[in-house]
Amino acid sequence: MEIKNVIIESKKAIEEERMKLDKTFSFIAVLRLVSFLAGLVLFFIGIGESKSLFIALGIILLFAFLVLIRFHGVTGEKLQALKVKTEVMDRYLKRISGEWRYFTSDGSEYLDRKDNLSHDLDLLGKNSLFQLSSIAHTGEGRKKLAETLSLKVNHIDEIDKRYDAINELMQKKDFLFDFESYSELILEKKEKERKKQLEIEKLESGELESGEPESGDAGSQVTKEEKSVSNKEAYFAFWMYPLMLIVPIMNIACITMVLMGNVSPSRILVTFIIGLVLTWGPKTILDNIISPVYKYGSVADDYYRMLSLLANMEFDTEMLKNIHDKVTSRHGLLAAVKSLGRIGSFNNISFNPLAHMVLAGFLGWDYIIALLASNWSQKNKNVFEDCLDVVSDIEELGSLAVIPMIRETSKPEIRRDKDMTGGLIMEGIYHPMINPATVISNDSALSESLTIITGSNMSGKTTFLRTIAINMVLGFVGCGVCAKKFSVPYARLFTSMRVMDDVAGGISTFYAEILRIKEMAEYVESDPEIPALCLIDEIFKGTNSADRIVGSQEALKKLSAGNAMIIVTTHDFELCDLKTTSGKNADNYHFEEYYQDDELRFDYKIKSGRCTTRNAMAILKMAGLVHN
């Protein structure tokens, strides 16, 4: 596959770049340590022996240490970005090889127990279409993708526009790799900050002893970022200006006097301590003002890279052009995000406790950051809401572009028929979540209002129903479908497959299935403008055979009388002779097994007519439950 070779070559280049950068990172780390130790020694020697030159050299080296911290951080971020990009590419390879089922992001948090379609078709949750395709790392992007895949959002009026946009993104592979890398970096940084803040808060409250691992639900904890959200309107007060100026002026004056020999070097420590008291005294107030920096500052550079990547990309399709214009036409959007990134970079230095103490005591650092944050907030309200909207749009469309990148797809024909008489025309259709190396495709044209599919156990009946439905979902959201040809009407999808009981609610499996079919019947009887496609697997399997056959006959006649197409799988051959209320015979198809070298095998191909074979005893023998 072409994408596999592209990824492997790109990973080689990235690995070489990482090795070079890693050497630079290590060198800066050593240089930073040396400058700090040398500066500290010279500074205290100068104070102890009243040597101004040593004090001056010590201060210079200590400030060089602060600068090196910044360079070391920037280099570390570059290394992390390359590492994340490699991980992004690895996930594409795992999607191709079938290892994607181990991905932790599966959209389970958006899976409602009542969402039958998502449960039955594996649209969300473990081993789902979301898990296979998602490149979304922001909460808004994941939510949009989940709502799209579960058909909670109707995209029928923009299918063609979405298909063109998704197809264009599929061809811009490097853009998607870089965009997802920046998005994942944001997630990793926010999670790292959350854990760090959680640990600090637990230590402060005495809940966590030193060296004790944290426990509990981290997501339920209130972080510094979350606290700050309620104080968005805090501004830099007038009384803070004198304090911001007093701290550095006081220290500069003292150091100057020491260098001139007018006062004892010990006075530097005195003014330093006074500076700390003046800076850290109103710390709570300053933290409220700095809240935008705490919330977005550490990741603003990554958002800026994402938006710049988008702004510098040329798009041909209408939908992507509109998203592009949101970035370029919004006056000052990029500049605002970039400026917050700079403030965040300065503030990040303060996460080093020693560096923060030096900056706070000598320069009143927290006042400077608070003033910058206050000015930014007053000029750039709601800028990140706009930013997140753009990012989530690309994440949602980009996730759908993953399918045609890793699977052979084609553009579907989604007809706006008023009924289902045009049928489902499918050539080379296959399930997107089955490994392409082993998946079996099928050709089928279903046109009758009622189709009965019989077949042996494990022969592929249920998978065929899911294959039809999941490709319809892909087609309805504007994605390419896993078929050579796929022409279907736009329809309301109903499924009855993974029917579960509800012990707490007093609902048996049989009654739960009745409720599902009742929902189908109520929709069909309402004379809907949009026809229904009802897919029922092993109808009424939760009851005895006599009641099942009678109940199934009545239910299927009722459903097939309305504006709907019904496809049902069953082991009850009696249903094969069923006639609809209009007198038409049900259409019959089947799957079957065959034997090779005395072993039970399946070709997973749909065939016309009813099934004439059985394999239950053979499967029981395979399981060792029957020996003769």
Side-chain angles (χ1 to χ4, degrees):
M1 187 176 289
E2 180 187 353
I3 186 175
K4 184 175 182 179
N5 297 329
V6 169
I7 291 174
I8 291 173
E9 290 301 317
S10 296
K11 281 185 63 180
K12 288 180 181 178
I14 291 173
E15 194 57 39
E16 291 176 2
E17 187 177 352
R18 279 182 64 185
M19 291 175 65
K20 293 177 182 178
L21 204 57
D22 191 55
K23 292 179 181 178
T24 303
F25 183 78
S26 300
F27 176 74
I28 296 175
V30 173
L31 198 61
R32 187 181 71 170
L33 179 62
V34 170
S35 66
F36 171 72
L37 294 175
L40 203 62
V41 170
L42 288 172
F43 182 77
F44 281 105
I45 289 176
I47 291 177
E49 299 183 8
S50 300
K51 293 185 178 180
S52 302
L53 179 61
F54 280 15
I55 293 174
L57 288 174
I59 291 174
I60 290 172
L61 285 173
L62 287 174
F63 275 98
F65 162 70
L66 296 177
V67 173
L68 287 170
I69 286 178
R70 169 62 181 154
F71 280 122
H72 192 253
V74 170
T75 306
E77 287 183 357
K78 289 180 180 177
L79 272 173
Q80 183 65 13
L82 292 175
K83 173 179 173 291
V84 169
K85 188 172 182 179
T86 301
E87 292 172 352
V88 166
M89 292 181 169
D90 281 337
R91 284 198 292 273
Y92 276 90
L93 294 177
K94 288 179 179 178
R95 290 182 178 106
I96 295 170
S97 67
E99 298 173 77
W100 57 271
R101 298 177 191 276
Y102 297 103
F103 294 170
T104 56
S105 176
D106 59 18
S108 295
E109 63 270 35
Y110 306 106
L111 182 56
D112 190 332
R113 180 179 174 84
K114 296 180 180 179
D115 185 357
N116 298 328
L117 195 69
S118 293
H119 277 287
D120 286 351
L121 303 184
D122 298 309
L123 301 177
L124 304 175
K126 189 176 180 181
N127 300 327
S128 67
L129 188 62
F130 185 104
Q131 189 177 21
L132 170 66
S133 64
S134 176
I135 64 168
H137 298 286
T138 67
E140 188 62 26
R142 290 166 55 80
K143 181 182 177 183
K144 282 185 179 180
L145 177 62
E147 290 177 343
T148 291
L149 292 179
S150 58
L151 299 184
K152 290 184 175 66
V153 177
N154 188 343
H155 294 292
I156 186 62
D157 292 328
E158 51 184 10
I159 284 181
D160 289 335
K161 292 179 182 179
R162 288 176 61 84
Y163 179 83
D164 292 340
I166 291 167
N167 193 54
E168 183 175 2
L169 284 176
M170 182 269 291
Q171 297 174 36
K172 293 182 175 356
K173 297 178 179 63
D174 288 335
F175 169 79
L176 283 183
F177 294 157
D178 288 333
F179 197 89
E180 184 185 357
S181 298
Y182 295 144
S183 179
E184 187 168 350
L185 274 173
I186 292 170
L187 180 68
E188 289 190 0
K189 287 180 181 179
K190 300 302 286 186
E191 180 64 15
K192 188 175 181 180
E193 288 175 10
R194 187 194 64 79
K195 288 182 178 179
K196 184 185 294 184
Q197 185 61 30
L198 179 62
E199 186 174 342
I200 291 172
E201 290 181 354
K202 285 189 174 182
L203 283 170
E204 289 175 348
S205 63
E207 295 177 16
L208 185 65
E209 298 296 331
S210 180
E212 181 183 346
E214 61 180 80
S215 60
D217 182 8
S220 67
Q221 304 297 322
V222 180
T223 65
K224 187 175 189 179
E225 171 189 319
E226 291 166 337
K227 287 179 179 177
S228 68
V229 172
S230 61
N231 297 284
K232 290 180 180 179
E233 300 303 318
Y235 296 118
F236 199 82
F238 182 77
W239 59 266
M240 296 178 182
Y241 286 97
L243 294 177
M244 182 181 70
L245 296 173
I246 286 171
V247 175
I249 291 174
M250 175 181 63
N251 281 287
I252 291 171
C254 182
I255 292 172
T256 302
M257 293 172 69
V258 168
L259 294 175
M260 293 174 64
N262 295 332
V263 297
S264 169
S266 61
R267 293 289 182 89
I268 295 177
L269 290 177
V270 176
T271 56
F272 173 74
I273 292 172
I274 293 173
L276 279 178
V277 173
L278 292 176
T279 302
W280 285 355
K283 181 169 174 52
T284 301
I285 299 174
L286 294 174
D287 279 348
N288 288 337
I289 300 172
I290 301 171
S291 63
V293 181
Y294 290 140
K295 187 175 183 181
Y296 292 120
S298 63
V299 296
D301 283 340
D302 298 298
Y303 276 117
Y304 176 74
R305 293 188 192 101
M306 294 173 79
L307 295 179
S308 296
L309 185 68
L310 184 60
N312 295 328
M313 182 66 61
E314 292 185 5
F315 294 106
D316 299 321
T317 55
E318 180 181 344
M319 187 166 284
L320 293 178
K321 283 182 177 179
N322 290 338
I323 296 173
H324 177 272
D325 289 345
K326 288 182 183 179
V327 178
T328 56
S329 63
R330 166 75 150 82
H331 179 68
L333 177 63
L334 280 170
V337 175
K338 186 176 184 179
S339 65
L340 186 63
R342 288 173 179 169
I343 299 171
S345 297
F346 288 126
N347 188 57
N348 286 345
I349 297 175
S350 64
F351 285 116
N352 184 306
L354 186 59
H356 190 198
M357 183 182 294
V358 171
L359 290 169
F362 280 117
L363 299 176
W365 189 252
D366 292 6
Y367 288 108
I368 298 172
I369 298 297
L371 177 61
L372 293 172
S374 178
N375 291 338
W376 186 91
S377 296
Q378 293 180 55
K379 296 177 182 177
N380 301 292
K381 287 184 179 179
N382 302 322
V383 69
F384 267 94
E385 283 75 2
D386 295 340
C387 175
L388 288 171
D389 186 52
V390 168
V391 169
S392 61
D393 283 343
I394 294 295
E395 285 185 322
E396 186 247 351
L397 291 171
S399 295
L400 295 173
V402 168
I403 301 299
M405 285 174 69
I406 62 173
R407 301 289 187 261
E408 295 292 333
T409 62
S410 65
K411 183 176 182 178
E413 180 188 3
I414 309 298
R415 309 189 307 268
R416 298 302 298 270
D417 299 346
K418 293 183 178 181
D419 54 39
M420 299 293 288
T421 55
L424 313 179
I425 302 170
M426 303 165 286
E427 294 180 10
I429 189 173
Y430 67 96
H431 200 293
M433 293 189 292
I434 299 178
N435 194 317
T438 58
V439 71
I440 302 298
S441 63
N442 265 292
D443 299 334
S444 186
L446 308 178
S447 58
E448 296 299 331
S449 60
L450 177 61
T451 298
I452 306 294
I453 300 178
T454 50
S456 308
N457 296 288
M458 300 167 54
S459 60
K461 302 185 301 298
T462 306
T463 300
F464 182 69
L465 293 188
R466 291 197 176 111
T467 299
I468 294 173
I470 201 167
N471 276 288
M472 291 185 80
V473 169
L474 290 175
F476 293 169
V477 301
C479 186
V481 296
C482 297
K484 293 179 180 178
K485 182 178 181 181
F486 193 70
S487 177
V488 298
Y490 179 67
R492 170 80 182 272
L493 295 178
F494 290 94
T495 59
S496 178
M497 297 178 185
R498 290 193 179 111
V499 182
M500 297 177 290
D501 61 4
D502 182 356
V503 177
I507 297 176
S508 67
T509 302
F510 177 55
Y511 189 61
E513 186 177 2
I514 289 176
L515 293 178
R516 289 210 193 182
I517 293 178
K518 179 185 177 183
E519 181 185 8
M520 299 177 191
E522 289 176 345
Y523 180 83
V524 170
E525 288 177 343
S526 68
D527 193 24
E529 292 184 9
I530 299 175
L533 175 63
C534 303
L535 304 169
I536 306 172
D537 185 41
E538 303 291 352
I539 185 168
F540 293 148
K541 54 183 171 289
T543 191
N544 65 78
S545 58
D547 288 341
R548 180 172 62 246
I549 293 169
V550 174
S552 298
Q553 289 172 337
E554 294 302 317
L556 294 177
K557 284 181 180 180
K558 188 179 186 68
L559 288 174
S560 60
N563 188 14
M565 173 182 283
I566 317 301
I567 306 176
V568 59
T569 68
T570 182
H571 286 289
D572 296 319
F573 293 154
E574 292 86 345
L575 297 182
C576 295
D577 297 322
L578 187 63
K579 294 181 182 293
T580 65
T581 53
S582 63
K584 282 190 175 183
N585 292 322
D587 220 355
N588 278 275
Y589 291 88
H590 73 279
F591 288 84
E592 63 186 17
E593 78 286 349
Y594 65 96
Y595 290 86
Q596 183 174 322
D597 299 327
D598 293 328
E599 289 187 6
L600 183 64
R601 298 179 184 272
F602 304 94
D603 62 11
Y604 304 111
K605 287 287 190 179
I606 191 168
K607 301 174 178 64
S608 296
R610 66 181 69 185
C611 181
T612 58
T613 61
R614 302 174 186 270
N615 69 358
M617 292 300 295
I619 293 176
L620 287 169
K621 289 180 182 179
M622 288 169 57
L625 298 176
V626 174
H627 300 287
N628 296 315

